[in-house]
Amino acid sequence: MSLGTVDQWVINAVEPSALARFWGFVLGGEVRDREDGWAVLHGASGLPRLSFQPTSEAKHAPNRIHLDVLVEDIAEAVQAAAEHGGTPVGETVTDEQGSFQILQDPEGNEFCLVNPIR
């Protein structure tokens, strides 16, 4: 039994439209700007929609939750993300589970590009 299902993930953003477009590049999908300042990413890799709500506060602490984005080639994906405003954090890590690279989106939210061992 579950209480419900995920309708959307909501991310606070100083610049919702710009951040939605970064994530649209990373995950695919279509960005729709709303008149109330929100931006919504629909159809991203089969995920529930990602909504970006306006806030005046910049991010100050590490995320309590983050996305792991499955990619074929971490080095290529890091380069492409960086060209669109992402920032790599540290080096790529490889362990018995596979490889991952931590990045920050243009507003400092952490996410990982991952390539697990299969």
Side-chain angles (χ1 to χ4, degrees):
M1 179 183 148
S2 69
L3 184 63
T5 59
V6 175
D7 177 53
Q8 65 182 335
W9 295 94
V10 178
I11 300 167
N12 291 337
V14 174
E15 296 184 33
S17 184
L19 196 56
R21 281 167 174 66
F22 172 81
W23 283 102
F25 169 75
V26 172
L27 299 173
E30 177 187 342
V31 174
R32 296 183 195 149
D33 294 312
R34 293 185 0 194
E35 290 182 18
D36 59 1
W38 286 59
V40 182
L41 177 60
H42 294 270
S45 302
L47 297 171
R49 60 181 187 255
L50 295 177
S51 293
F52 300 84
Q53 79 177 351
T55 183
S56 60
E57 293 184 32
K59 182 179 169 293
H60 298 289
N63 299 6
R64 297 292 302 259
I65 188 170
H66 71 266
L67 297 177
D68 280 357
V69 179
L70 180 65
V71 298
E72 289 295 320
D73 184 302
I74 289 178
E76 284 181 18
V78 167
Q79 181 177 346
E83 289 171 0
H84 284 82
T87 304
V89 177
E91 301 295 322
T92 300
V93 175
T94 300
D95 60 20
E96 66 277 354
Q97 300 296 313
S99 298
F100 69 92
Q101 171 68 55
I102 301 169
L103 289 94
Q104 292 178 335
D105 71 16
E107 292 200 15
N109 300 299
E110 296 89 7
F111 68 101
C112 291
L113 298 175
V114 301
N115 188 300
I117 294 174
R118 297 187 175 142

